Amino acid sequence: MKKTARELQKEQTKALLLKTAYNVFSEKGIMNTRVSDIAQAAGVSHGTIFVHFRSQEAMIEEVVAVYGQKIALRTHTLAQSCGHLSELLRAHLHGIMEFEPFYTRLVIENRLLPTGAKDSIIAIQSAISFHFSQAVQRELKSSQSDGIPSYLLFNMWMGLVHYYLANGDLFAPEGHVIRRYGGTLIQSFMKLLTAKEEK
């Protein structure tokens, strides 16, 4: 059934609000952003926001769900063709880099976000954890790191990446942590995995 002009306009307005919220969240922070900030940036009235979202919390959850899915899909797509663990780590960073300001806000504000948003963040991590576990099992069967469970190695990798992102004002004041340190993070992590073998 063909959509009416009103239905199409409503969909376009909601898409505009989602994109605008994503941009404002990326710049100002999710919990620091007021509904009026998004309305002003989108060029709509304050009340228009609540035509599309029942509450500010619902809006946050939907923005994180929509863009979290984009990050997860991009990461999964890039990771599918990786054979070596270092290639997978590079693909992971590349998938994040496309959304770095927003992803960084998710890392920093994770504990403050509504439950639905936290679930979306878990889905983003799941998109790479499966590929990571497979790569570790393929590559490190005979290494000294074999005794470390793959989930712990994954947590170490995520902790390293998130530490750099959360402290981006120190590591990359210009705002591009992954572009500046991605190669170093990969090399350092891979070196940690093989350090015992080199002794």
Side-chain angles (χ1 to χ4, degrees):
M1 188 166 146
K2 190 175 179 181
K3 294 180 181 178
T4 66
R6 183 177 174 80
E7 288 172 331
L8 289 172
Q9 182 180 15
K10 191 172 181 181
E11 285 181 6
Q12 290 170 353
T13 301
K14 185 167 186 179
L16 170 67
L17 293 174
L18 288 169
K19 178 65 174 173
T20 302
Y22 166 81
N23 290 332
V24 176
F25 288 164
S26 299
E27 182 182 338
K28 294 184 65 166
I30 299 168
M31 302 311 292
N32 284 335
T33 298
R34 298 170 300 173
V35 171
S36 58
D37 296 329
I38 295 167
Q40 182 178 7
V44 301
S45 69
H46 187 274
T48 300
I49 303 285
F50 295 105
V51 169
H52 298 277
F53 307 99
R54 68 182 183 281
S55 65
Q56 183 172 358
E57 181 176 296
M59 180 183 61
I60 290 170
E61 288 183 342
E62 191 160 350
V63 172
V64 174
V66 167
Y67 284 91
Q69 187 175 30
K70 289 178 188 287
I71 296 167
L73 180 60
R74 182 64 176 141
T75 303
H76 173 70
T77 301
L78 290 168
Q80 278 183 315
S81 61
C82 295
H84 192 271
L85 180 58
S86 63
E87 292 174 354
L88 177 65
L89 301 181
R90 187 168 286 105
H92 179 220
L93 293 182
H94 188 75
I96 292 172
M97 187 168 61
E98 295 177 27
F99 306 89
E100 186 174 330
F102 182 71
Y103 185 86
T104 300
R105 295 298 183 177
L106 295 180
V107 169
I108 293 170
E109 300 182 46
N110 181 28
R111 290 176 176 263
L112 304 173
L113 297 176
T115 302
K118 291 178 184 178
D119 292 342
S120 296
I121 294 169
I122 291 169
I124 296 171
Q125 309 313 329
S126 297
I128 192 64
S129 66
F130 172 73
H131 297 289
F132 184 95
S133 295
Q134 286 191 324
V136 166
Q137 288 171 8
R138 267 195 317 267
E139 288 189 35
L140 303 180
K141 283 181 181 176
S142 62
S143 78
Q144 295 295 324
S145 302
D146 193 40
I148 303 175
S150 61
Y151 71 85
L152 188 53
L153 292 172
F154 178 71
N155 290 343
M156 289 166 61
W157 168 247
M158 294 303 294
L160 182 63
V161 172
H162 287 182
Y163 177 79
Y164 270 74
L165 288 172
N167 293 284
D169 54 335
L170 299 174
F171 293 115
E174 78 286 355
H176 301 288
V177 172
I178 293 175
R179 186 178 303 150
R180 186 169 181 183
Y181 285 99
T184 302
L185 295 178
I186 293 167
Q187 290 170 10
S188 299
F189 186 76
M190 294 303 296
K191 192 162 182 65
L192 282 173
L193 297 185
T194 58
K196 289 185 181 179
E197 292 181 338
E198 293 174 2
K199 289 183 178 180

